[in-house]
Amino acid sequence: MMKPTYNRHEPGNVWNGDVKGLERRLQKAIRGEVRFDNGSRALYATDSSNYRQIPIGLVVPRSIADIVETVAACREFGAPVLSRGGGTSLAGQTCNVAVVMDMSKYLNKILELNPGGKFARVEPGTVLDDLRAAAEIHHLTFAPDPSTHNHCTLGGMIGNNSCGVHSVMGGKTVDNIEEMEVLTYDGLRMRVGKTSDEDLAAIIKEGGRRGEIYKKLSELRDKYASLIRSRYPKIPRRVSGYNLDQLLPEAGFDVARALVGTEGTCVTVLEAKTRLIYSPPSRVIVALGYPSIYEAGDHTMEVLAHKPVGLEGIDDVIAKNMKLLHAHPEELSLMPEGKSWLIAEFGGETRQEANAKARAMVEDLKKRPGIMGIKLYDDPREEKLIWEVREAGLGVTARVPEQPVTWEGWEDSAVPPAKIGGYLRDLRNLLQEFGYTCSLYGHFGDGCIHTRIEFGLTTKEGIEKYRKFVASAAELVTNYGGSISGEHGDGQSKADLLPIMFGEELVQAFREFKAIWDPANKMNPGKVVNAFHNNENLRLGVDYNPWQPKTNFYYGEDQGGFSESALRCVGVGACRRGDTGTMCPSYMVTREEKHSTRGRAHLLFEMLQGEIIRDGWRSEEVKEGLDLCLACKGCKHDCPLHVDMATYKSEFLSHYYEGRLRPRHAYAMGLIHRWARVASLMPGVVNFFGKAPVLGNIVRWLGGISQKRAMPQFAPKTFRAWWDERKPVNEGCPPAMLWVDTFNNHFHPQVLQAAVEVIEATGFKVVLPKANLCCGRPLYDFGMLAQARKLLEEILVHTRDAVRADVPVVALEPSCLAVFRDELKRLFPHDEDANRLERLSMTLSDFLVKRASFQFPRLSRKAIIHGHCHQHALLKMKTESQLYKLLGLEFQILDTGCCGMAGSFGFEADHYEVSVKCAERALLPAVHHAGENVLVIADGFSCHEQILQLSGRSALHTAEVAAMALREGNHTNPLGKENTPQHTVPEMQEQSALKARKKAEVME
C-alpha cells in the first residue's frame, strides 16, 4: 500500500528538548490528562487559520493547580507553552510547537454570577453561551458575541480580544474585563486590574517579581505614552497590537485590560472577572436593501444614529453563493428588495418598545434616497431566519462549486464606521488590481469587514502575490485610520503588518511589553511580536503534496478527491457546541477534540500528509478518532462547510479492514439483512434465545452486543408474509412503490402495514419491489462497501422499471432513504437509474404532501417528535411539519440531536455508555416529561429502540399516526373549512382513487 510522505521542516517546527522526560514529569505532577501521542499532537497541529505547527504534547488540566504544575514542568525543561480555548483562531495564534493546554474540557465553570454587581467570575474554559444563558435570566449579558458564541471560551476571547455582532452595544472583550488572575512562565501568580497611582507606588516599593513587572510597565508607559496616543486609531475595532493604551493614566493603568488580546504570548489566564451589561429582553430586526455593499456602507451612520444593538452588512456575493449552494432559500426570500443589505437589530424592555425604535428608524430612512427596500420583522421565527443569512457568511464563501477555495489572510480589517463605503470601494479596486474576487460583509456597526480571498497558497507565485496584497491592504486600511485586525487578532497572519500600522517604535514597545512578562520567550513564541513571517508554517505551502489514495466513494463536491475532502474543514469548530443541533453527538458527551468533526477531519488531513500519522489507511490514531463517530450525518447539515464525516469514516474503515477480520459486532449487525431472513423462519425460537437469561447473554456476547441491551424482538410474521396473503387493492390506480426495509419488515411490520393503509387511502396502488432487497445501511458503518455496492446493484436492477416510469418510492426508515439520497450517488455517480431513484425516493410525508391529493381527517392530539439524524441532515423534516399540521396535531419537533442508538452503535458493548449519555442529554428528559396522552413520534428504528429501552415508551411512526387519523379522526377538513362533508374512510379512499386516476389520465 502506498503511504503518504511529508518532508517539510520549517523554522520553529522542532523542539529539541527531552520530550519523554517532560511527559513523565507531567504525568507525575498533575491530575489532568497528559497526551504526547501522535494522534493528540495531530489534533492540535492547526486551528482555523492557514498555519500548522505540531505541538510537543497536550495537557488537559482538571484544575488551576494543574495549570500551575504544567507551566512549572515546562519551565524546568525549557518547553514553550500555549493556552488554548475553542481553537477557532484565524491568525495562527492557537497552534505552536509547545505544550498545549486545552482548558475547555474541565475548566469551564462560572465561579460566581453577581447580578447586583453586574459581574461574573469565570474559569478560562467557560463557553461564552453558558455565561450568557446564566446572565440572561437577570436580563444581563457579556456583550461581545462572535459567531462562535456557542463553543468559544472566555479564555480564548480574552486572548484574541474578541468582538461580535453585539459589541456595538457593549464594546470588545477588553472593554468587559474587570480583573484577571494570571500566571507567568517564571511562576508568578497574581491578580491584575486597574491600578491607582498609590497602589502602583506601593507595588513597586514592595519589590520582588511583581514589583519589577509593575515598575517596568510604568516605565514603558511613560516612554511611549505620546506615541500610543498619536498612533493608536480611535475606532471601535482596533484589535491589532498589544493594548498598551490601557496603561495610560486616563485608562487607570489597567494591567488586566493591557493583557487582553496578547494571545497567550505574555501570561496564562487562570480566572477572569467579567463585566455584565443590560440585555434588552425583546428584539426586533429591520433589513434594508441597497444597490451595492458600498451604498450600504455609506448609510451605516444613518442607521447607527438610531442606536441599534447590532448592525451587520452582507453583499450580493453571499446571496449568489447561497443560490449556487441551494442554501437558505426561505431565508433569502424574506429579504427586501436590494443587492446588498444592512441588518439592524433593536432592543427594548418590551416588544412594543423595540418595535417603536425600529419603526422610528424606518420612517426616518424612508425619507432618504438610496434605499431599495425596507422590511421590519416582527416574528421571532423570521428574525431567526434573517440572522441565519448573516451567519452563513463563512459557509457560503469558503467553498463554492466551480469557484476557487478561499482563505483567511485579510479576514477582519476595520475602519471608522463613517468611512466604510469609501474603504470598501478602494478595497475592491485593490482586489481587482491583484485579480482577486470575494464577498464583503461584516459588523458594519463597528466598521469591521469580513472576507475570505482565493489566495494561491500552494505555489511560490501565489504566496508572493498574497504577501504583496496584504501589505498593500495594510497600507490602505492604515490610511483610513483603521486596523489590520478588527476581531481575530494578529497571531502569525498579521504580525508582519504591524509596523505598517503602528510604526517600528511601537512594535519595539510591543517587544518590550512581552519581555517584561516573558523574558524567556516561552509563552506562545513566534506570534504577534518576534513572529514567524506570514508565509512560514503554512498548512499548505509550495511543498503541499498530499497522498491521493484510490477510494470507493466519489467525492464530486471536492473535485472527486479524498484529499480535497480532508481540506474541507476550516476549523471554525461549530461541531464543538454542546447545546443544540445534531452535530456532533459524541463531542457533546465527551467534550474531546478527537470526538468532534473538526478533530476527525484534522486527523484525516494529517494521515494524508504522512509526517506525524504515517500508516495511511492502517492508522490506529485515525481509527480511534473515528470510533465514536455515530455516522449520524449531522455534520453534513450542521457544519458550515458540510464536512461529511460519516462518509469519510466508512471510506476509511473499508481500507483499514482490507484483508483483515472485523470485530464480531460488524458481522452480527452489519449483516443483519441476512440474519433477519434466517430468523424469520423461526422468530419465536430466536426471540427465546435472545431473551433467556443465560442464553441471551451468550448471544449478546457472540454478537459484541452490550449485556445491558435488550435484543429487539422479531415479529411473528414479516410484513412480506402479510402482504403475500393480501388481496390487491386499487387496481388500475397510479402506483406508488413502498420500500420494504429490513427493520420494519422483520421487527415492526405494523409500520409498513399502516403505510399501505394510508397510501391506498389516497388512491394509489401500493407496489413492492419483487425481490427481497436491502439497502445495506448497517454495512456503511463498518466500511463493508463491497457488500453494500452489491446490494445497491440489486436494487437498481429491481427498481429500474419503476423509476423509469416515474413511480414514487416511499421509504419509511430514514436511514434507508439516506442511502438512496447519499451513498447511492457516491457509489454510482454516473448511473442514470441511480439518479432517478435518488430523485424519486421520498418519505411518507413527502409523498402525502407533494404527491397525493387527499384530505386527511383531523387527529386532535398532542405529540412530541424526535427526528432521526438522517432526517435532519438530508431531509430537513419540512414535509413532516406540514403533514402533522394537516393531521391537526398540536406538536413540537424536539431539538434532541442524536438519540445515541445510531443504528448498531448503541448496541455495541464498547459504545453503550456514550449511547445512553447521548439520549440523556435531551431526548430522554423530553420523553419523560411528556404526559401519557402525548404521542411520541420517531420514524427511525434505532430511535424507537433507544426510546423503548431507556424510557419504556413505545414511539409511533408517522405512518402509524396517519393511519390513526384515518381510524379515529373527526373528519373535518384539514385546511380548516367548516361544514366539510362527513365520509367514511372507504368513501374518501374511493374519491381519492378517482382523483388520482383522472390525474394520471391527464398526465398520459
Side-chain angles (χ1 to χ4, degrees):
M1 178 183 66
M2 287 184 61
K3 295 180 181 178
T5 58
Y6 197 99
N7 298 312
R8 180 165 58 207
H9 294 287
E10 290 191 352
N13 277 349
V14 178
W15 178 68
N16 294 316
D18 182 0
V19 176
K20 290 295 182 185
L22 175 58
E23 181 182 9
R24 288 192 297 268
R25 167 76 168 78
L26 286 166
Q27 287 171 339
K28 290 179 182 178
I30 72 170
R31 290 173 48 244
E33 299 160 20
V34 178
R35 305 174 188 168
F36 279 49
D37 60 284
N38 285 343
S40 296
R41 295 169 65 214
L43 283 168
Y44 289 81
T46 190
D47 46 20
S48 196
S49 71
N50 298 334
Y51 300 98
R52 171 185 176 274
Q53 291 173 280
I54 299 170
I56 298 166
L58 170 69
V59 170
V60 185
R62 288 181 180 272
S63 65
I64 298 300
D66 277 354
I67 298 176
V68 175
E69 287 295 330
T70 298
V71 173
C74 290
R75 181 169 66 250
E76 180 182 329
F77 283 79
V81 294
L82 166 61
S83 300
R84 177 159 155 153
T88 60
S89 296
L90 280 160
Q93 53 266 64
T94 51
C95 60
N96 214 326
V97 180
V99 173
V100 176
M101 294 184 289
D102 185 343
M103 313 293 196
S104 63
K105 184 175 181 181
Y106 298 117
L107 297 176
N108 50 26
K109 292 181 286 297
I110 301 171
L111 301 172
E112 180 185 0
L113 183 69
N114 189 319
K118 293 187 177 180
F119 71 83
R121 291 190 306 111
V122 297
E123 291 182 322
T126 303
V127 171
L128 172 60
D129 269 5
D130 292 345
L131 174 60
R132 293 172 71 207
E136 281 291 352
I137 296 171
H138 309 284
H139 299 319
L140 297 172
T141 193
F142 185 76
D145 59 341
S147 60
T148 54
H149 53 82
N150 59 8
H151 58 281
C152 69
T153 68
L154 268 297
M157 293 181 69
I158 290 167
N160 277 4
N161 194 9
S162 298
C163 306
V165 174
H166 294 104
S167 58
V168 73
M169 180 171 68
K172 308 182 292 293
T173 297
V174 68
D175 304 309
N176 292 277
I177 296 299
E178 301 292 344
E179 188 178 89
M180 294 195 301
E181 183 179 8
V182 298
L183 175 70
T184 64
Y185 186 79
D186 53 18
L188 177 65
R189 182 174 174 179
M190 62 179 177
R191 289 192 175 273
V192 294
K194 280 192 176 182
T195 316
S196 67
D197 291 343
E198 294 78 10
D199 288 340
L200 177 60
I203 293 170
I204 294 173
K205 185 177 180 181
E206 185 182 281
R209 176 70 172 121
R210 179 170 177 246
E212 176 194 359
I213 289 173
Y214 274 75
K215 181 175 184 294
K216 289 183 176 179
L217 289 176
S218 176
E219 292 169 350
L220 181 77
R221 174 198 64 183
D222 295 341
K223 179 179 178 182
Y224 291 103
S226 61
L227 202 56
I228 292 169
R229 291 188 181 102
S230 63
R231 288 299 299 260
Y232 272 54
K234 308 299 188 292
I235 60 173
R237 287 292 188 95
R238 194 276 307 156
V239 170
S240 277
Y242 289 150
N243 290 321
L244 302 186
D245 55 333
Q246 295 294 335
L247 297 177
L248 296 174
E250 54 266 37
F253 200 80
D254 197 324
V255 178
R257 292 187 177 185
L259 287 168
V260 170
T262 53
E263 302 178 13
T265 61
C266 296
V267 296
T268 296
V269 176
L270 304 179
E271 180 190 309
K273 179 181 177 183
T274 71
R275 179 176 75 126
L276 301 176
I277 67 168
Y278 173 68
S279 175
S282 294
R283 307 290 176 94
V284 171
I285 288 176
V286 177
L288 305 107
Y290 296 92
S292 75
I293 196 65
Y294 317 117
E295 281 89 351
D298 293 337
H299 287 74
T300 294
M301 297 307 293
E302 295 176 3
V303 179
L304 283 177
H306 291 271
K307 301 190 183 309
V309 297
L311 179 58
E312 303 292 290
I314 57 176
D315 71 355
D316 58 322
V317 179
I318 284 183
K320 290 174 184 175
N321 288 353
M322 284 182 180
K323 292 174 182 176
L324 283 172
L325 292 164
H326 308 290
H328 305 284
E330 182 182 3
E331 290 87 332
L332 275 177
S333 68
L334 291 172
M335 300 297 287
E337 183 182 357
K339 295 181 180 179
S340 294
W341 298 269
L342 290 178
I343 301 172
E345 184 180 63
F346 292 87
E349 187 69 26
T350 64
R351 196 157 192 85
Q352 290 77 11
E353 181 185 342
N355 247 315
K357 294 177 181 179
R359 292 188 185 283
M361 184 199 71
V362 169
E363 291 304 313
D364 178 34
L365 295 187
K366 278 182 179 177
K367 305 169 188 174
R368 301 172 185 261
I371 300 177
M372 296 178 67
I374 303 178
K375 191 169 182 180
L376 188 150
Y377 304 89
D378 199 17
D379 179 346
R381 176 184 167 275
E382 289 188 345
E383 291 170 9
K384 181 176 180 294
L385 293 175
I386 294 301
W387 276 129
E388 287 178 3
V389 174
R390 165 59 184 89
E391 292 176 356
L394 173 61
V396 299
T397 57
R399 278 182 177 260
V400 181
E402 300 181 6
Q403 292 184 20
V405 177
T406 61
W407 306 97
E408 67 91 359
W410 192 250
E411 209 280 333
D412 62 327
S413 56
V415 295
K419 297 182 179 180
I420 291 177
Y423 173 65
L424 290 178
R425 290 180 178 90
D426 286 345
L427 179 60
R428 179 64 75 190
N429 289 337
L430 182 64
L431 287 160
Q432 291 174 346
E433 180 183 329
F434 278 81
Y436 293 137
T437 59
C438 63
S439 173
L440 298 171
Y441 63 101
H443 309 295
F444 279 34
D446 279 334
C448 182
I449 309 302
H450 288 313
T451 185
R452 292 178 68 91
I453 301 171
E454 70 270 27
F455 299 126
L457 299 180
T458 59
T459 66
K460 181 180 179 182
E461 179 186 11
I463 294 169
E464 289 176 351
K465 179 179 172 183
Y466 148 70
R467 280 174 58 80
K468 290 177 183 177
F469 169 80
V470 294
S472 298
E475 295 278 5
L476 173 65
V477 79
T478 299
N479 290 338
Y480 268 91
S483 174
I484 59 176
S485 176
E487 186 154 40
H488 298 302
D490 300 317
Q492 181 179 343
S493 180
K494 306 286 182 64
D496 276 348
L497 309 176
L498 290 175
I500 296 174
M501 176 177 168
F502 289 102
E504 289 293 348
E505 284 186 83
L506 277 179
V507 171
Q508 176 58 30
F510 298 158
R511 296 190 190 102
E512 293 173 20
F513 181 80
K514 175 178 169 59
I516 291 170
W517 296 100
D518 178 33
N521 192 29
K522 297 296 183 181
M523 300 294 295
N524 201 13
K527 312 296 174 173
V528 187
V529 296
N530 304 316
F532 297 108
H533 297 301
N534 55 18
N535 62 338
E536 294 179 295
N537 303 319
L538 288 171
R539 189 179 178 191
L540 302 183
V542 294
D543 52 357
Y544 175 67
N545 186 27
W547 181 36
Q548 303 282 356
K550 183 179 179 181
T551 58
N552 293 287
F553 287 122
Y554 175 68
Y555 298 90
E557 71 276 20
D558 294 311
Q559 294 81 51
F562 188 73
S563 62
E564 283 297 311
S565 293
L567 259 182
R568 178 167 282 272
C569 173
V570 297
V572 71
C575 47
R576 286 174 54 95
R577 64 191 182 200
D579 52 353
T580 59
T582 304
M583 174 186 74
C584 181
S586 51
Y587 177 80
M588 290 181 182
V589 169
T590 69
R591 299 302 174 109
E592 286 279 358
E593 176 72 13
K594 71 178 176 181
H595 297 144
S596 69
T597 303
R598 180 181 73 180
R600 294 172 181 132
H602 285 174
L603 287 172
L604 289 168
F605 174 85
E606 294 296 339
M607 179 191 82
L608 295 171
Q609 308 316 304
E611 179 184 15
I612 188 170
I613 295 179
R614 301 173 182 173
D615 299 326
W617 293 127
R618 298 294 200 196
S619 168
E620 293 297 329
E621 296 92 347
V622 176
K623 180 177 177 293
E624 182 183 346
L626 292 170
D627 181 58
L628 291 189
C629 171
L630 286 81
C632 67
K633 295 182 183 285
C635 49
K636 186 154 185 165
H637 177 265
D638 292 0
C639 170
L641 278 299
H642 309 297
V643 170
D644 188 0
M645 195 52 61
T647 296
Y648 306 163
K649 176 184 178 180
S650 189
E651 183 75 65
F652 175 84
L653 291 178
S654 71
H655 299 283
Y656 177 87
Y657 283 113
E658 200 170 306
R660 293 175 167 179
L661 284 175
R662 287 175 166 81
R664 297 191 307 277
H665 60 261
Y667 300 103
M669 289 175 276
L671 302 176
I672 186 65
H673 61 289
R674 295 184 184 176
W675 310 132
R677 291 171 191 174
V678 174
S680 67
L681 301 175
M682 44 183 180
V685 175
V686 174
N687 289 339
F688 170 78
F689 274 94
K691 292 177 69 175
V694 177
L695 292 174
N697 291 345
I698 295 173
V699 169
R700 281 189 284 272
W701 181 84
L702 289 171
I705 297 170
S706 170
Q707 296 294 335
K708 298 177 182 179
R709 284 293 184 192
M711 299 290 287
Q713 297 295 289
F714 287 92
K717 180 189 291 187
T718 67
F719 167 77
R720 277 196 172 271
W722 173 85
W723 175 266
D724 291 341
E725 297 172 358
R726 192 170 179 270
K727 293 182 180 179
V729 176
N730 288 355
E731 290 293 337
C733 292
M737 177 174 282
L738 180 62
W739 177 255
V740 183
D741 63 277
T742 296
F743 295 104
N744 282 317
N745 183 37
H746 292 280
F747 297 99
H748 297 162
Q750 72 278 5
V751 172
L752 286 159
Q753 291 166 11
V756 169
E757 179 182 353
V758 171
I759 294 171
E760 289 179 344
T762 67
F764 279 76
K765 173 181 172 60
V766 176
V767 297
L768 310 184
K770 293 181 180 178
N772 198 355
L773 304 173
C774 179
C775 72
R777 173 67 257 172
L779 295 171
Y780 299 96
D781 299 338
F782 304 109
M784 302 167 99
L785 298 185
Q787 297 93 319
R789 176 183 282 273
K790 290 179 181 178
L791 292 179
L792 290 181
E793 286 173 344
E794 291 179 26
I795 290 171
L796 291 175
V797 169
H798 290 285
T799 61
R800 181 178 297 143
D801 292 342
V803 298
R804 289 183 179 181
D806 203 36
V807 174
V809 180
V810 180
L812 304 184
E813 170 56 46
S815 61
C816 294
L817 184 53
V819 171
F820 298 151
R821 295 283 183 90
D822 194 2
E823 283 87 358
L824 178 66
K825 294 186 295 182
R826 290 188 178 278
L827 289 173
F828 300 91
H830 307 299
D831 189 302
E832 284 304 317
D833 286 326
N835 292 333
R836 292 184 183 102
L837 179 55
E838 184 268 335
R839 177 175 55 84
L840 290 165
S841 61
M842 60 189 69
T843 63
L844 179 64
S845 59
D846 286 337
F847 173 78
L848 295 175
V849 171
K850 296 179 179 179
R851 285 280 188 138
S853 176
F854 184 72
Q855 292 185 341
F856 269 95
R858 302 280 281 184
L859 182 64
S860 298
R861 298 285 294 273
K862 292 183 178 180
I864 57 171
I865 294 96
H866 168 74
H868 189 286
C869 296
H870 295 173
Q871 282 178 288
H872 284 294
L874 300 175
L875 313 173
K876 312 299 187 286
M877 292 195 70
K878 288 186 178 179
T879 55
E880 279 82 0
S881 294
Q882 292 174 265
L883 178 61
Y884 299 143
K885 289 177 182 177
L886 291 175
L887 292 175
L889 287 178
E890 183 182 336
F891 67 93
Q892 177 188 7
I893 295 180
L894 302 171
D895 185 10
T896 41
C898 181
C899 73
M901 187 66 86
S904 63
F905 181 91
F907 283 101
E908 297 165 26
D910 293 343
H911 295 156
Y912 174 79
E913 297 297 333
V914 170
S915 170
V916 172
K917 288 179 180 178
C918 286
E920 289 175 342
R921 189 186 65 81
L923 174 58
L924 289 183
V927 173
H928 289 314
H929 182 72
E932 292 183 4
N933 294 325
V934 176
L935 303 178
V936 179
I937 303 174
D939 286 358
F941 173 80
S942 57
C943 306
H944 178 280
E945 282 298 308
Q946 185 79 309
I947 293 169
L948 178 65
Q949 295 200 21
L950 298 182
S951 76
R953 292 287 297 265
S954 184
L956 297 173
H957 191 284
T958 297
E960 295 175 287
V961 177
M964 184 187 299
L966 290 176
R967 299 169 195 149
E968 302 177 14
N970 59 24
H971 294 215
T972 58
N973 189 309
L975 299 178
K977 296 177 182 178
E978 299 298 328
N979 303 318
T980 302
Q982 302 296 300
H983 297 297
T984 64
V985 169
E987 288 173 338
M988 297 170 74
Q989 178 179 321
E990 183 178 345
Q991 291 179 7
S992 292
L994 180 61
K995 289 180 182 178
R997 281 196 293 270
K998 288 181 178 179
K999 184 177 180 181
E1001 289 170 2
V1002 170
M1003 291 176 67
E1004 289 177 2

